[in-house]
Amino acid sequence: MVDGLAQNPRGPGKAFGSKPYMHLSFYLMIAALVVTGLQVLYALRQLAIVAL
């Protein structure tokens, strides 16, 4: 992989084969992680309410 970066004069985008929807998939992954975190916080809140 490092050799591909060194040999490709167009930079890491072409060496790694960047796709046009790479940014969209990255933003969707971040959104999914945020939603999952909110669900975990809500579940912990519900457990805390039941425990009291």
Side-chain angles (χ1 to χ4, degrees):
M1 188 179 303
V2 175
D3 293 334
L5 285 175
Q7 294 172 358
N8 199 330
R10 293 188 181 180
K14 292 293 181 183
F16 285 109
S18 64
K19 307 268 189 272
Y21 295 107
M22 188 170 64
H23 292 286
L24 177 63
S25 65
F26 177 74
Y27 292 138
L28 288 175
M29 181 181 65
I30 295 298
L33 288 172
V34 168
V35 169
T36 303
L38 290 174
Q39 289 178 341
V40 167
L41 288 176
Y42 180 74
L44 289 174
R45 180 178 170 267
Q46 292 298 102
L47 282 174
I49 290 174
V50 169
L52 294 178

